[in-house]
Amino acid sequence: MRRPANADRDSQKKITRRALMMGGIQAAFVGALGLRMRQMQIGDADLYRTLAEENRISLQLIAPARGKILDRLGQVLADNRPTYQITITRERADDMAAVLSRLQTLLPITDDQISAVLAAGKKTSAFVPLTVAERVTWEELSRVALNLPVLPGVNLETVLERTYPLGPDYAHVIGYVGRVSESDLADAGSDEPLLSMPGFKIGKISIERSLEPQLRGVQGTLAVEVNASGRVMRDLERTVPLAGQDVTLTLDHHLQNFTLARLGDQSAAAVIIDVRNGDILALASAPSFDPNLFVGGISSKDYGVLRDSEYRPLADKTVQGAYPPGSTLKMSLAFAAIEAGVVTPDDTVSCPGFAEIAGRKFHCWKKGGHGRVNLQGALRESCDVFFYEMAQRVGIDGMNAMNTRLGLGMKPDLPLSGITAGLNPSRDWKLKKEGSEWRIGDTINASIGQGFVQASPMQLAVMVARVASGRQVTPRIIRPIGDVPDSAFESMGLSSQALDLVHRGMFDVVNSDRGTAKASRIVADGQFMAGKTGSSQVFSITEAERASGVRTQDQLPWNRRDHALFTAFAPFDAPQIAVAVIVEHGGGGSTAAAPIARDLVLFYLNSGLPPPEAYPAEQRARIGTDLARLSTLILPPDQNGATSHV
């Protein structure tokens, strides 16, 4: 049966409406899809770019250049030089053991080194590079570069390595850098990402360690694109690292170089301080060592030689050594006696060669005694009996107080390692330390710098700087930035009479025919030196041995002989420098330490090797030979010092 025409028209209208609805829905879907695509491509582009780049971009740290260390004249004492190293990153290496095995055919690396790298890889994050080889030569680097396609995860890097151009001259002062240890990482925590970098090194002792924060600098970053095998394809973005700050020291590299050369192969130390501003001009401990050996990791053999030497080259004797100061301490007791009013310039004491005190005999160094001596004469001839008497008049409390004013028992505030405070004993100290009362014998021993008293060469230099200037000289080794005037140290409050009397006594020590260091006098006008000898006993001689005359210093083994000391300031009329010298087991201060101090004073005052005419006429032939020998050991005057010959 045929459908009516109206029915066909209604059906057509329904189809048209459905088609329009479907078309509208499709158009809306396409529009929404387009809008979403536009949002993803344009609006959210940064987000998806970041998500994508996390899969192909690696962020690497860039080590900053370590700050240089310079002397007061601008000579570089610690520098950086470029060197090559090879690293491997575990997350890019696929099979790290296989890659290292292939690398072994190209580089002189041992199985133990490979095992160490694999072990380190298990302890560190997969993205942290591990050092395979350091100080790689250009030829070795080229071989590895040619084979990089079969060495996934291997990187060739140029790094800056610390170097010390003057070698042993500044080993104890500057110290050295070394590999980051587990304890270093534990101390730093997670806030120091630089410490996890391959081959990164930090300061281990002295200035390198104490000033690590300012020398280290701030790391930079480098974003690199890597392919599926982990090979770096290109650099994307770099943040430049901030180099560490340079540090300028107060030391003079020519004076330091000469000082170490003059100490020679002895176990000794010397300190030179500018009394006007506290600048440390030389700080030498002998024998020294080459700090460059420690930068790449010192061998067991080399370290064993340094560690086992009886001369202790690894110890900084200038600040770590604590020695009985011997008769160099007599200036302090002289000040204490004058200031306490228990002695006048004209008072005398009879010295028969010993003193009977509390039923015990205390000997003078001069067996026959000095006769009657006043304070100036007692300093000149270092009469022990005179100072035994002064010690009984002043007492340990007064002695302790004056020692403190002169800087003894106080730890200098310097960026060096292992600084000792020495020991300035008192009643309370002995009661607390040994559980016993202070005795008169303790006072007598302390009066000549023996017994419990201990001081470092640095403290003795500070003491004589204060004696010379009458002011509270404080040592410094970091030179102030900018045009800073000399420090205006406060007065020590010593009377002009006390200063004049002690100064004249020290002048006589060197320049009087009866002085203990008369053989070390200077004859050049305007360069006269004042000083004080000292010998600190290491081995006690019994009464029986003393009576029989055996066991002199020459008869004793080296390590049981007295230490030799000498302190000085110069020029006498207008003091500029203070000097302290100790020669371990050197015997007498007048024979072993005073000649060294004289040469140091003259080198400073003449800005180089002094003329023989500065020495007494009868010594000039010998001195000329000595100076000629020293000239072959020190840096030329016009050389900034690429290599030390010490």
Side-chain angles (χ1 to χ4, degrees):
M1 186 176 66
R2 186 176 179 183
R3 295 181 62 186
N6 291 336
D8 290 339
R9 285 195 296 271
D10 292 341
S11 176
Q12 188 175 3
K13 290 179 179 179
K14 290 180 180 180
I15 292 173
T16 301
R17 285 197 299 270
R18 289 174 181 170
L20 290 172
M21 290 178 63
M22 290 296 296
I25 292 172
Q26 290 177 351
F29 177 76
V30 171
L33 184 61
L35 290 173
R36 181 56 180 159
M37 291 176 64
R38 182 180 185 280
Q39 177 64 26
M40 293 175 65
Q41 292 177 353
I42 300 176
D44 296 337
D46 291 340
L47 171 64
Y48 289 103
R49 184 180 299 112
T50 300
L51 292 174
E53 287 177 348
E54 285 182 353
N55 294 324
R56 64 183 181 87
I57 293 178
S58 175
L59 193 64
Q60 301 177 355
L61 292 179
I62 305 175
R66 193 171 180 85
K68 297 178 181 180
I69 300 177
L70 315 170
D71 88 325
R72 66 187 301 113
L73 305 175
Q75 165 65 34
V76 178
L77 310 177
D79 205 352
N80 307 300
R81 64 180 178 187
T83 185
Y84 303 112
Q85 70 178 16
I86 293 176
T87 64
I88 187 169
T89 306
R90 183 157 56 94
E91 70 173 357
R92 304 179 198 158
D94 192 14
D95 185 349
M96 192 162 70
V99 174
L100 290 172
S101 180
R102 289 195 289 271
L103 197 58
Q104 193 175 25
T105 64
L106 305 172
L107 294 173
I109 53 178
T110 65
D111 292 339
D112 289 342
Q113 288 175 295
I114 289 178
S115 298
V117 174
L118 293 173
K122 294 178 181 179
K123 299 178 182 179
T124 57
S125 302
F127 60 85
V128 175
L130 304 168
T131 303
V132 178
E134 295 181 298
R135 298 182 179 179
V136 177
T137 67
W138 178 254
E139 290 76 12
E140 292 168 341
L141 193 77
S142 300
R143 287 200 300 270
V144 175
L146 290 173
N147 289 274
L148 277 181
V150 294
L151 298 171
V154 171
N155 300 311
L156 313 179
E157 300 178 354
T158 301
V159 295
L160 292 175
E161 182 179 74
R162 200 63 156 173
T163 181
Y164 303 98
L166 296 185
D169 285 2
Y170 288 91
H172 298 101
V173 180
I174 294 176
Y176 51 82
V177 299
R179 294 189 179 100
V180 179
S181 65
E182 295 292 336
S183 61
D184 293 327
L185 288 172
D187 292 340
S190 59
D191 297 332
E192 295 293 343
L194 266 176
L195 301 190
S196 298
M197 288 190 65
F200 191 76
K201 297 178 175 66
I202 62 173
K204 292 295 183 177
I205 64 170
S206 293
I207 288 175
E208 287 279 32
R209 180 178 179 86
S210 298
L211 302 184
E212 173 68 25
Q214 65 192 82
L215 287 168
R216 183 187 301 175
V218 180
Q219 72 271 11
T221 56
L222 173 64
V224 297
E225 183 179 358
V226 296
N227 62 14
S229 64
R231 184 177 180 184
V232 176
M233 304 302 295
R234 60 178 176 139
D235 295 349
L236 298 177
E237 186 177 358
R238 176 187 294 264
T239 301
V240 178
L242 182 62
Q245 300 175 34
D246 291 346
V247 173
T248 300
L249 306 184
T250 60
L251 299 169
D252 179 323
H253 74 279
H254 285 304
L255 185 58
Q256 176 79 6
N257 175 251
F258 176 78
T259 301
L260 197 57
R262 183 60 183 84
L263 295 178
D265 58 2
Q266 303 177 97
S267 182
V271 182
I272 304 176
I273 294 178
D274 190 323
V275 304
R276 298 163 296 185
N277 54 26
D279 282 357
I280 301 173
L281 302 175
L283 193 65
S285 179
S288 188
F289 61 92
D290 187 354
N292 292 296
L293 294 174
F294 287 83
V295 176
I298 190 170
S299 68
S300 298
K301 179 181 178 181
D302 289 340
Y303 185 75
V305 171
L306 296 173
R307 180 197 59 213
D308 299 335
S309 170
E310 63 179 343
Y311 283 10
R312 301 179 299 117
L314 292 175
D316 184 357
K317 302 177 181 72
T318 63
V319 295
Q320 296 174 0
Y323 309 91
S327 294
T328 63
L329 195 64
K330 289 175 179 175
M331 288 97 71
S332 177
L333 180 50
F335 280 133
I338 298 168
E339 294 297 292
V342 298
V343 68
T344 69
D346 298 325
D347 287 346
T348 61
V349 172
S350 177
C351 171
F354 64 90
E356 289 272 3
I357 303 171
R360 180 182 169 188
K361 209 178 249 190
F362 290 88
H363 292 273
C364 184
W365 71 268
K366 188 175 182 180
K367 189 174 181 179
H370 293 92
R372 297 206 71 86
V373 290
N374 60 15
L375 191 148
Q376 184 174 340
L379 284 172
R380 176 185 64 234
E381 301 174 46
S382 201
C383 176
D384 294 332
V385 170
F386 182 93
F387 287 97
Y388 295 156
E389 176 63 26
M390 293 302 105
Q392 295 178 80
R393 297 180 186 181
V394 173
I396 187 57
D397 297 332
M399 293 164 59
N400 173 272
M402 185 57 69
N403 288 345
T404 299
R405 290 169 69 179
L406 291 173
L408 300 178
M410 312 290 287
K411 184 181 291 188
D413 184 15
L414 298 168
L416 304 173
S417 295
I419 299 177
T420 181
L423 180 57
N424 179 20
S426 64
R427 298 178 190 276
D428 291 342
W429 170 84
K430 187 181 179 186
L431 188 61
K432 182 178 179 181
K433 181 70 175 179
E434 301 196 351
S436 58
E437 297 290 335
W438 188 269
R439 299 180 181 276
I440 185 61
D442 298 328
T443 301
I444 300 304
N445 286 331
S447 71
I448 58 170
Q450 295 286 166
F452 299 120
V453 188
Q454 291 187 335
S456 68
M458 173 61 70
Q459 290 172 318
L460 295 180
V462 170
M463 177 186 73
V464 76
R466 294 184 176 187
V467 169
S469 66
R471 298 188 174 276
Q472 298 177 15
V473 178
T474 302
R476 67 185 184 192
I477 199 168
I478 306 300
R479 198 164 193 192
I481 298 174
D483 186 15
V484 179
D486 290 350
S487 301
F489 297 117
E490 293 184 6
S491 170
M492 290 183 59
L494 296 171
S495 67
S496 58
Q497 180 194 38
L499 287 168
D500 180 64
L501 189 55
V502 171
H503 286 182
R504 285 191 282 116
M506 293 179 69
F507 180 85
D508 286 351
V509 167
V510 182
N511 299 283
S512 169
D513 288 339
R514 299 177 67 180
T516 54
K518 62 183 179 182
S520 293
R521 66 189 182 278
I522 296 170
V523 300
D525 289 340
Q527 298 185 356
F528 297 137
M529 175 177 71
K532 184 69 192 75
T533 54
S535 298
S536 61
Q537 197 174 67
V538 175
F539 175 74
S540 296
I541 300 175
T542 66
E543 287 289 342
E545 289 172 331
R546 187 185 299 275
S548 63
V550 301
R551 299 188 73 81
T552 63
Q553 288 294 303
D554 292 339
Q555 293 174 310
L556 292 170
W558 174 81
N559 61 359
R560 303 185 81 178
R561 298 174 187 172
D562 292 350
H563 296 317
L565 303 100
F566 190 75
T567 58
F569 67 85
F572 176 74
D573 293 328
Q576 296 179 33
I577 59 169
V579 180
V581 175
I582 181 169
V583 180
E584 289 189 336
H585 312 295
S590 61
T591 57
I596 296 175
R598 174 176 65 175
D599 289 345
L600 301 184
V601 166
L602 285 172
F603 189 92
Y604 169 81
L605 294 177
N606 289 275
S607 299
L609 287 174
E613 291 74 25
Y615 298 84
E618 66 275 13
Q619 301 178 16
R620 288 173 189 168
R622 175 180 58 82
I623 292 296
T625 301
D626 292 342
L627 293 177
R629 179 186 61 84
L630 284 170
S631 69
T632 67
L633 300 176
I634 63 175
L635 298 172
D638 59 346
Q639 181 178 330
N640 283 334
T643 304
S644 173
H645 303 291
V646 178

